[in-house]
Amino acid sequence: MLEIRNLHVSANNKPILRGITLTLKKGEVHSIMGPNGSGKSTLAQVLAGRESYEVTAGEIMYDGKNLLDMAPEDRAREGVFMAFQYPVEIRGVSNMYFLRAALNSIRKYRGEDDVDAMDFLSLVRNKMKLLQMDDALINRAVNEGFSGGEKKRNEIFQLAVLEPRLAILDETDSGLDIDALKIVAEGVNALRSPDRTFLVITHYQRLLNHIVPDFVHVLAEGRIVLSGDKSLAFELEEKGYSWLEKEPVG
Amino acid sequence: MPTETQQIHELANQEYKYGFYTDVEADTVPPGLNEDIIRVISEKKGEPEFMLEWRLRAFRHWLTLEEPHWANVTYPPIDYQSIIYYSAPSKKQTVKSLEEIDPEILDTYRKLGIPLEEQELLAGVAVDAVFDSVSVATTFKEKLAELGIIFCSFSEAVRNHPDLVKKYLGSVVPYTDNFFACLNSAVFTDGSFCYIPKGVRCPMELSTYFRINAAKTGQFERTLIVADEGAYVSYLEGCTAPMRDENQLHAAVVELVALDNAEIKYSTIQNWYPGDDEGRGGIYNFVTKRGKCAGVNSKISWTQVETGSAITWKYPSCILMGDNSVGEFYSVALTKKRQQADTGTKMIHIGKNTRSTIVSKGISAGFGQNTYRGLVKILGGADNARNYTQCDSMLLGDKCGAHTFPYIEIKNSTAQMEHEASTSKIGEDQIFYCQQRGLSAEDAISMIVNGFCKEVFKELPMEFAVEAQKLLSISLEGSVG
Ligand SMILES: Nc1ncnc2c1ncn2[C@@H]1O[C@H](COP(=O)(O)OP(=O)(O)O)[C@@H](O)[C@H]1O
Ligand SMILES: [Mg+2]
């Protein structure tokens, strides 16, 4: 469902990704691990359509469509969702209002009517339960005054409501304490389905104890230097990332 | 796919949606200003002698004044002798029902989305529609009259309630107050008058739609609202103007008087033609608005949403004379293209335990310049006065500007002052976040800006708040997508 071929990306003329090739099939869970600064967030942001990154070579096909030709909002409407590493605050706009507007614009794109107010409420209630979200949080302004952990949980809550086909999680574990991590991971697991593909980006292996990936890829200096199954995550946890950088990259 | 910066730029340069011009035969006087013109205006309006005298005194004083230039705005010199000071739709001067109104005028309102009949029927809003300089429609008058409420055009008030006018006209804004208020005092053509008698709570929102129409006609509105002891009124003022080539001067005066335990809530949506991309042809809006909390426990609340005009110069203020009186100012000012706004408030604390709240939201886009200028003055006798001021600016793009001049004068050591200020740039990351959730950049900007203004919008009456949000979105809308 997602095919990244020889992707090269620069920001401010600085090359960051240098030839990423990666295929995600429908329903698979892939994890990308790598040291800080290796380009993980860059990859996520390019998939989501961030303008400040320049794709200098390569292509990305999403369900047979050229993803790079699509506006960011159209990617979202086509089912691409990114849980931000640093979620953004929007003052004065309630979470509920925001989510409903988002859901309706996605529905409109699909030619569907606006979501019924009661249906929306029960959908939200359901997903709040899934992520054990506090009632107060949902009526507050988007991420305003949320703790780091609350913001991350809110991202997954949005994911649950919007039900994308491709979910990209950018370091969702950072900022979560162990209990919150479990809740969020359980939430994600509940959302796993044969129709939903995940790209789980993390620096640490601990998230992958809870969200067990089908594949693990290691990103270093803008390249995928190793791919394997979930055991690769444990190996990395033991050895750290430093040995990768020292080895000649093939 | 345009970049976000481009999109912001496009949004900021969106065309004025209400640009059209209605052709109504106008009954006008020749351009220029002198005592004869003033006599003609007064005569055409059938005014009593005291009114003419007051106008002439104002005019003579005006001749000694110079146009002020301290505001943070620039514009070419105004030629006061080229302005036509009186113009009235000539077909009918007074009407008893909407059917009598020139269909073209009704159509104009319809284009603006202000269907009078509908408002009359559905919203229960009494509308005193000002078209050009003379009121052509006044509705719900009888219903209000049962309660002893007087709500009519200013000219009618001068003729029918001269004692009230005499007593309160100029009692808050004397004609000596400032250059523009003085000019208005000399030449004002019409406006609204409202008197709420003792203990009466006005059961509906009173509203006036202002409109500038005939070319070269300066518009000099005069509004006077008096809430007698224990009375309450909520007054709405809203306006848009047709697109015209020439700069149109608008120098209105609004005076509010609240006696003991009275409350006046005054809400404005202002959407006059802001001018073209170069700033040509927009309205100059130099307004003097002031309320006097004359009585104990009285309250005056100003809420304004300013999106139009080439230049706005406006400081709705409160004189807190009565002990325990309360003054409030909630403002949203949007400047885009070449628009300039210098707006804010003055809170003058005179009585004991007086309180004031100022919440100002400035949004600048394009080449817009947005200045907040506020004065909080606590006089010696104002024991335990309190003020809370919050001033937030938001910038869209990097060619616009936001400026803040909060002045404070305290002559009483028991005063408590709280001030908060912020400037934020509508961030690429905020827009991107919304886009990533499926919203267009346009919707994102509108949502972010409306969120930013929320504290002000919640002060507006419900229907007005919806209109304000829509207006802000329309003003920011672009050719995206
Ligand atoms: N907009 C940008 N402009 C310049 N450099 C950037 C930009 N975004 C990221 N980088 C740089 O690219 C590298 C990769 O960043 P990032 O993708 O955030 O890494 P990771 O998420 O793996 O920690 C870092 O060196 C970072 O400083
Ligand atoms: Mg990162």
Side-chain angles (χ1 to χ4, degrees):
Chain A
M1 73 108 50
L2 184 73
E3 267 199 81
I4 304 170
R5 291 190 212 115
N6 189 33
L7 183 70
H8 288 252
V9 173
S10 299
N12 297 319
N13 294 320
K14 180 189 156 198
I16 301 173
L17 300 182
R18 313 164 202 230
I20 304 263
T21 296
L22 192 61
T23 302
L24 279 66
K25 294 210 179 76
K26 201 165 146 182
E28 289 177 348
V29 176
H30 288 245
S31 173
I32 298 217
M33 299 184 71
N36 286 331
S38 57
K40 302 185 295 294
S41 291
T42 302
L43 176 61
Q45 303 255 347
V46 167
L47 288 171
R50 186 79 189 223
E51 309 271 352
S52 45
Y53 294 99
E54 193 197 349
V55 175
T56 52
E59 59 175 5
I60 305 175
M61 299 304 285
Y62 171 75
D63 265 352
K65 290 182 190 142
N66 185 348
L67 193 72
L68 296 175
D69 276 353
M70 291 157 71
E73 60 269 33
D74 285 339
R75 299 184 197 196
R77 294 162 182 170
E78 288 279 355
V80 177
F81 180 96
M82 173 171 76
F84 283 64
Q85 179 172 6
Y86 304 107
V88 173
E89 298 185 8
I90 308 173
R91 204 168 149 181
V93 177
S94 85
N95 249 324
M96 281 290 260
Y97 181 83
F98 177 73
L99 257 181
R100 194 161 155 190
L103 186 61
N104 280 336
S105 73
I106 293 168
R107 290 173 67 99
K108 191 171 166 198
Y109 182 82
R110 295 199 208 121
E112 296 166 10
D113 287 340
D114 279 2
V115 64
D116 171 81
M118 293 313 288
D119 292 349
F120 180 68
L121 208 64
S122 70
L123 172 70
V124 163
R125 291 246 164 269
N126 246 321
K127 305 299 184 183
M128 279 169 67
K129 221 177 282 163
L130 179 69
L131 287 147
Q132 302 183 22
M133 286 273 287
D134 194 355
D135 264 23
L137 232 46
I138 182 78
N139 288 312
R140 272 174 35 197
V142 179
N143 293 320
E144 196 184 25
F146 285 29
S147 72
E150 284 168 343
K151 284 182 185 172
K152 294 305 181 69
R153 194 185 292 208
N154 195 28
E155 292 293 287
I156 303 306
F157 167 67
Q158 292 184 15
L159 188 163
V161 172
L162 298 178
E163 302 183 313
R165 288 186 293 138
L166 173 64
I168 303 158
L169 276 51
D170 192 1
E171 299 217 22
T172 297
D173 50 331
S174 64
L176 290 177
D177 61 35
I178 188 68
D179 293 331
L181 180 75
K182 271 189 194 148
I183 293 164
V184 167
E186 272 165 33
V188 170
N189 285 332
L191 295 167
R192 282 175 80 153
S193 103
D195 295 325
R196 188 167 294 130
T197 309
F198 282 87
L199 187 62
V200 181
I201 293 172
T202 180
H203 182 77
Y204 301 104
Q205 176 266 337
R206 72 171 188 163
L207 176 69
L208 305 181
N209 287 335
H210 303 279
I211 305 172
V212 182
D214 302 310
F215 302 94
V216 174
H217 312 276
V218 180
L219 193 64
E221 291 174 359
R223 288 190 183 93
I224 290 179
V225 292
L226 263 179
S227 290
D229 61 14
K230 62 184 176 194
S231 62
L232 181 56
F234 292 102
E235 202 176 324
L236 285 166
E237 183 73 0
E238 265 169 45
K239 296 194 195 167
Y241 289 109
S242 51
W243 60 280
L244 287 166
E245 280 153 37
K246 281 174 201 122
E247 269 182 27
V249 180
Chain B
M1 191 160 47
T3 66
E4 277 141 7
T5 330
Q6 258 176 339
Q7 285 170 342
I8 290 176
H9 192 72
E10 282 165 12
L11 294 181
N13 287 303
Q14 209 232 329
E15 286 313 307
Y16 183 72
K17 281 210 167 159
Y18 298 140
F20 50 85
Y21 171 64
T22 313
D23 193 17
V24 178
E25 290 170 48
D27 166 19
T28 55
V29 299
L33 185 54
N34 52 51
E35 294 203 2
D36 288 342
I37 293 277
I38 291 169
R39 282 175 211 280
V40 169
I41 293 171
S42 190
E43 199 187 310
K44 272 185 184 287
K45 305 183 76 60
E47 288 178 349
E49 190 62 22
F50 86 89
M51 203 60 254
L52 174 63
E53 272 164 23
W54 198 74
R55 286 177 182 277
L56 291 172
R57 278 202 302 276
F59 176 67
R60 287 168 200 147
H61 183 73
W62 182 73
L63 292 174
T64 70
L65 299 176
E66 278 187 33
E67 196 183 303
H69 288 287
W70 46 263
N72 194 20
V73 296
T74 52
Y75 53 92
I78 298 169
D79 178 4
Y80 293 93
Q81 294 304 335
S82 71
I83 293 172
I84 296 170
Y85 288 89
Y86 183 80
S87 146
S90 57
K91 285 187 179 168
K92 283 209 172 67
Q93 299 257 341
T94 50
V95 292
K96 289 191 184 65
S97 75
L98 291 167
E99 285 93 69
E100 290 178 49
I101 294 179
D102 188 328
E104 214 171 327
I105 293 174
L106 291 179
D107 195 49
T108 304
Y109 284 116
R110 235 166 262 134
K111 278 188 210 160
L112 289 165
I114 312 162
L116 280 177
E117 313 94 313
E118 256 178 54
Q119 280 194 354
E120 199 177 357
L121 290 169
L122 302 173
V125 175
V127 177
D128 177 28
V130 175
F131 188 85
D132 260 6
S133 313
V134 165
S135 296
V136 291
T138 305
T139 52
F140 281 96
K141 230 192 244 172
E142 281 147 42
K143 200 170 167 186
L144 294 172
E146 279 170 29
L147 293 163
I149 295 171
I150 303 166
F151 179 45
C152 60
S153 72
F154 205 95
S155 328
E156 273 178 86
V158 169
R159 288 193 299 268
N160 302 335
H161 309 281
D163 293 347
L164 281 172
V165 173
K166 224 176 192 169
K167 184 167 177 190
Y168 292 109
L169 178 70
S171 71
V172 187
V173 182
Y175 63 74
T176 50
D177 191 81
N178 71 70
F179 181 86
F180 296 111
C182 188
L183 177 62
N184 174 291
S185 304
V187 303
F188 73 89
T189 40
D190 217 329
S192 299
F193 177 82
C194 177
Y195 173 79
I196 316 288
K198 267 184 202 171
V200 171
R201 204 182 153 82
C202 185
M204 59 186 87
E205 318 266 2
L206 298 183
S207 123
T208 304
Y209 286 94
F210 292 92
R211 198 156 164 75
I212 301 174
N213 198 289
K216 278 196 209 143
T217 303
Q219 185 97 357
F220 302 94
E221 309 281 353
R222 185 107 201 169
T223 299
L224 175 57
I225 299 173
V226 180
D228 211 324
E229 290 171 23
Y232 168 84
V233 63
S234 168
Y235 189 89
L236 315 181
E237 173 204 327
C239 49
T240 54
M243 188 180 291
R244 299 293 300 163
D245 273 336
E246 291 151 76
N247 286 311
Q248 291 178 303
L249 174 64
H250 187 90
V253 171
V254 177
E255 296 181 279
L256 311 183
V257 181
L259 302 183
D260 288 355
N261 303 302
E263 178 176 350
I264 302 175
K265 196 170 164 56
Y266 193 105
S267 313
T268 308
I269 293 185
Q270 187 271 112
N271 181 29
W272 283 331
Y273 181 51
D276 65 12
D277 289 342
E278 302 307 315
R280 283 183 302 245
I283 306 289
Y284 293 178
N285 190 22
F286 301 143
V287 187
T288 305
K289 285 184 165 176
R290 194 174 305 151
K292 184 156 80 179
C293 285
V296 294
N297 306 316
S298 55
K299 179 175 176 183
I300 289 179
S301 183
W302 298 101
T303 305
Q304 61 173 26
V305 177
E306 302 278 327
T307 64
S309 298
I311 299 173
T312 303
W313 183 98
K314 181 176 180 184
Y315 316 91
S317 302
C318 297
I319 303 170
L320 304 172
M321 269 171 62
D323 289 350
N324 312 315
S325 61
V326 176
E328 294 176 339
F329 172 75
Y330 298 95
S331 169
V332 166
L334 168 77
T335 54
K336 57 178 183 177
K337 293 188 177 174
R338 302 271 170 185
Q339 278 179 284
Q340 309 169 54
D342 194 306
T343 182
T345 186
K346 283 187 264 183
M347 293 290 175
I348 315 295
H349 293 251
I350 300 171
K352 294 184 182 37
N353 307 313
T354 44
R355 279 176 293 142
S356 61
T357 301
I358 300 171
V359 177
S360 161
K361 306 277 179 178
I363 303 149
S364 319
F367 294 91
Q369 294 296 325
N370 214 319
T371 300
Y372 167 80
R373 189 184 301 276
L375 169 66
V376 179
K377 193 169 179 172
I378 314 261
L379 297 186
D383 293 341
N384 304 313
R386 277 189 284 157
N387 166 265
Y388 171 76
T389 298
Q390 184 190 334
C391 253
D392 298 320
S393 308
M394 181 177 261
L395 302 171
L396 284 86
D398 48 18
K399 294 186 186 76
C400 50
H403 319 273
T404 308
F405 302 104
Y407 302 100
I408 296 174
E409 276 179 52
I410 303 179
K411 303 228 166 67
N412 185 312
S413 60
T414 60
Q416 285 180 47
M417 314 286 286
E418 220 182 308
H419 186 98
E420 286 176 33
S422 76
T423 301
S424 53
K425 235 181 142 125
I426 191 163
E428 215 183 285
D429 36 340
Q430 276 182 321
I431 297 172
F432 179 65
Y433 188 76
C434 296
Q435 284 179 299
Q436 212 305 300
R437 297 301 184 249
L439 300 166
S440 66
E442 200 170 89
D443 288 347
I445 289 172
S446 148
M447 184 185 271
I448 294 163
V449 170
N450 276 308
F452 173 74
C453 300
K454 197 178 184 178
E455 291 136 294
V456 175
F457 288 164
K458 76 173 170 33
E459 296 299 325
L460 289 170
M462 194 56 168
E463 333 80 74
F464 232 37
V466 173
E467 234 178 273
Q469 283 195 25
K470 227 171 28 188
L471 179 57
L472 217 56
S473 302
I474 288 174
S475 306
L476 289 167
E477 227 169 69
S479 44
V480 184

